[in-house]
Amino acid sequence: MARIPAPHPELDARAADRAAGVLLGAAVGDALGVPYEFKATLREDQRPMMIGGGLGPYEPGEYSDDTQMQVCIAQVAATGADLRDPEALDAIAANFQHWLGEGASDVGNQTSMILSIAARAPGSAGTAMREAAREYTARNARSAGNGSLMRTGIVALAHLGDPAAMAEAAIAVSALTHPDPDCADACVLWCSGIRTAVLDGTFDGVRAGLNFLPAERRGMWAERLDEAEAHPPRHFTNNGWVVHALQAAWSAITRTGAPELRPAEGSFPAQHLQLALEAAVRAGTDTDTVAAIAGALLGARWGSSAVPPEWQRAVTGWPSLKAADLVRLALLTARGGSDDIAG
């Protein structure tokens, strides 16, 4: 029996702008980090630029697999689907396979292996992928990569009206490739942060998301968030691991001050988005992923209007999407698949 999803909340203009910022924020963070992935860590006086290159190699402004995979989810979420349902998970899994077959760039090792195994397995796409992911995780002690957290922002938009459903969907979508408990928990926390940022315009949802974790894991994650707030992003050097990836992104967000409102001097609080993304790239190592993770939450808090115009003009990526296309996918998802601006 199909679930009856909670109604999508009506979004005023400011909340709609914040919803529109989720995919766009992830994409610009991704494209900003692409040139510096696994290269020498930038100094504090060095400003990252969208110059392309990286592991793709990518064109200037082009986003990587981090956003490409999130687009695969968004194409399903934008129809108004409940992302917990098997049919939706099958569709997402099929999109992943289509993306991989089209020559996806810079695919993570774990994701590539799971998708390849699932493609040869019987059963529906989602079932095959979840089973391949479970078997991989059972055989590998190091299976808690950042590959599901990097694509999770759109899941929050699909379930703005029901935080419990949001948490269930975050776990289900993560489990297609990354069922490790650390991955599931990280996706729940970040989706909670994005949902609250869109609806309320604060970052409070990340810590509020602790309530959706298993009781025995909440204290551990509270300490991890404390640690992130106490250290700069570059402290979390193993950010291919989902825990350090989340901590580096959260550190970049919480330790970067929002400028005071001084219009005469060209200073606005929403410039926090740009400054925090630059800090995320300076974390080093998996720069595009950390910045994509941070970008989804920063976009949810400050909105698409906070993304610098030059970044909006430059950003592009598979499958031939621009900033306006990413905004449209996000808004369709937040409105339950409806084009009606009134929600």
Side-chain angles (χ1 to χ4, degrees):
M1 182 176 178
R3 297 181 177 92
I4 300 176
H8 288 257
E10 185 170 331
L11 304 178
D12 62 20
R14 293 178 67 183
D17 180 51
R18 293 194 293 263
V22 173
L23 265 181
L24 182 60
V28 297
D30 187 353
L32 190 68
V34 153
Y36 310 100
E37 185 177 17
F38 302 115
K39 293 185 178 179
T41 302
L42 294 178
R43 301 186 308 270
E44 289 300 317
D45 63 339
Q46 291 179 298
R47 184 178 180 185
M49 304 287 287
M50 287 187 184
I51 56 177
L55 301 183
Y58 297 95
E59 295 297 319
E62 185 178 1
Y63 55 72
S64 76
D65 60 315
D66 303 51
T67 307
Q68 293 166 7
M69 293 196 79
Q70 190 160 190
V71 166
C72 290
I73 302 168
Q75 290 169 335
V76 177
T79 68
D82 185 326
L83 299 187
R84 299 170 295 171
D85 287 346
E87 295 84 358
L89 294 168
D90 283 344
I92 293 169
N95 281 355
F96 286 167
Q97 295 290 14
H98 173 68
W99 162 75
L100 185 68
E102 280 200 354
S105 57
D106 185 23
V107 186
N109 292 335
Q110 179 172 337
T111 295
S112 177
M113 183 172 295
I114 289 167
L115 266 60
S116 297
I117 293 170
R120 302 189 298 270
S124 70
T127 299
M129 200 168 288
R130 286 192 298 274
E131 184 57 32
R134 281 195 294 267
E135 291 180 1
Y136 180 94
T137 300
R139 295 193 310 268
N140 292 273
R142 297 170 63 89
S143 62
N146 59 26
S148 62
L149 180 60
M150 71 185 192
R151 64 181 196 236
T152 202
I154 196 69
V155 177
L157 291 184
H159 295 278
L160 288 175
D162 187 341
M166 174 214 69
E168 292 172 2
I171 294 167
V173 174
S174 177
L176 287 170
T177 55
H178 290 71
D180 185 280
D182 274 340
C183 299
D185 291 351
C187 288
V188 169
L189 291 177
W190 217 244
C191 280
S192 177
I194 289 167
R195 176 182 176 273
T196 298
V198 168
L199 296 178
D200 300 336
T202 75
F203 290 119
D204 295 344
V206 174
R207 284 195 178 269
L210 293 168
N211 293 324
F212 295 105
L213 303 186
E216 67 275 12
R217 296 178 62 82
R218 294 172 189 167
M220 174 182 66
W221 274 102
E223 291 176 1
R224 288 170 170 175
L225 294 176
D226 290 342
E227 184 182 15
E229 293 168 15
H231 298 282
R234 69 182 62 219
H235 177 81
F236 305 98
T237 56
N238 185 24
N239 53 40
W241 177 36
V242 68
V243 174
H244 269 200
L246 184 147
Q247 288 177 305
W250 188 234
S251 170
I253 291 169
T254 59
R255 291 176 60 86
T256 300
E260 294 183 10
L261 178 59
R262 293 175 179 169
E265 301 174 16
S267 177
F268 300 89
Q271 288 173 326
H272 179 247
L273 180 145
Q274 177 179 343
L275 297 174
L277 283 181
E278 291 172 353
V281 174
R282 292 193 194 95
T285 315
D286 202 352
T287 49
D288 57 336
T289 300
V290 172
I293 293 165
L297 181 53
L298 287 161
R301 168 62 184 90
W302 296 112
S304 63
S305 59
V307 177
E310 61 271 24
W311 289 3
Q312 294 194 42
R313 289 190 295 268
V315 73
T316 186
W318 181 92
S320 301
L321 300 184
K322 302 288 187 181
D325 304 306
L326 298 169
V327 165
R328 176 173 169 76
L329 280 172
L331 287 176
L332 280 171
T333 300
R335 295 172 177 149
S338 173
D339 260 327
D340 183 3
I341 294 177

